[in-house]
């Protein structure tokens, strides 16, 4: 099935004759990068919460499980995930410090991610965009480069988290019938 989209819906602004074309491209890319970064950070938070929730299983000191044990553990994992999902990224980071599954996390890199995320969320628009700190297209272009580097960092971190989740999501257990 070939999906047909109306390109003009997305590219209505694309006019090579526009004297501000370069500025339009750079600023649209900048805002797109910021949005994609926040999406990826949300995935980081989601995956951290999933991994930390799975650790609820590690609290069990049972060799053989009953169906009710499994249901209780499932509820504990769901409850833990819900609680962790309510935390800010900074508070979630503190939970990572206690994690068995995430013991190998580069805490300095995670701190950079949290700090830069907070900068983007709370200060970037006021400091960099509203106050016209980006005085030229070159300034904006440099900021896009900075955003690109950060995007790579959060994507790499997410891939690492996915690998940790994949390694720990399945447990072999003995079940009493």
């Amino acid at each position: 099935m070939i999906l047909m989209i109306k390109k003009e819906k997305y590219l209505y602004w694309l006019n090579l004759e526009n004297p501000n074309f370069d500025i339009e491209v750079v600023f649209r890319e900048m805002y797109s990068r910021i949005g994609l970064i926040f999406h990826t950070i949300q995935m980081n938070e989601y995956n951290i919460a999933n991994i930390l929730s799975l650790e609820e299983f590690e609290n069990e000191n049972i060799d053989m499980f009953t169906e009710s044990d499994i249901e209780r553990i499932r509820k504990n994992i769901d409850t833990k995930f819900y609680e962790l999902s309510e935390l800010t990224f900074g508070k979630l980071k503190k939970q990572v410090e206690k994690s068995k599954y995430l013991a190998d996390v580069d805490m300095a890199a995670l701190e950079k991610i949290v700090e830069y995320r907070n900068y983007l969320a709370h200060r970037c628009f006021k400091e960099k965009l509203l106050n016209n700190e980006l005085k030229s297209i070159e300034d904006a272009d440099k900021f896009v480069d900075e955003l690109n580097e950060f995007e790579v960092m959060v994507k790499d971190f997410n891939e690492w988290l996915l690998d940790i989740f994949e390694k720990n999501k399945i447990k072999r257990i003995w079940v009493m019938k």
Side-chain angles (χ1 to χ4, degrees), residues 22-83:
D22 291 346
I23 293 168
E24 183 82 20
V25 169
V26 169
F27 274 85
R28 282 181 179 272
E29 182 62 21
M30 179 184 65
Y31 285 109
S32 294
R33 288 280 164 220
I34 291 169
L36 182 59
I37 286 167
F38 277 114
H39 171 76
T40 307
I41 289 172
Q42 289 294 131
M43 291 178 7
N44 288 175
E45 292 173 344
Y46 174 81
N47 289 323
I48 289 170
N50 266 325
I51 292 165
L52 295 175
S53 298
L54 287 178
E55 289 185 357
E56 285 297 303
F57 178 78
E58 300 298 326
N59 295 334
E60 298 296 323
N61 293 321
I62 304 172
D63 292 328
M64 190 164 299
F65 294 85
T66 65
E67 296 287 333
S68 64
D69 291 330
I70 293 169
E71 188 56 33
R72 179 182 46 77
I73 294 166
R74 182 178 289 126
K75 285 180 182 175
N76 290 346
I77 289 170
D78 289 346
T79 300
K80 183 71 167 190
F81 178 78
Y82 178 78
E83 290 169 359

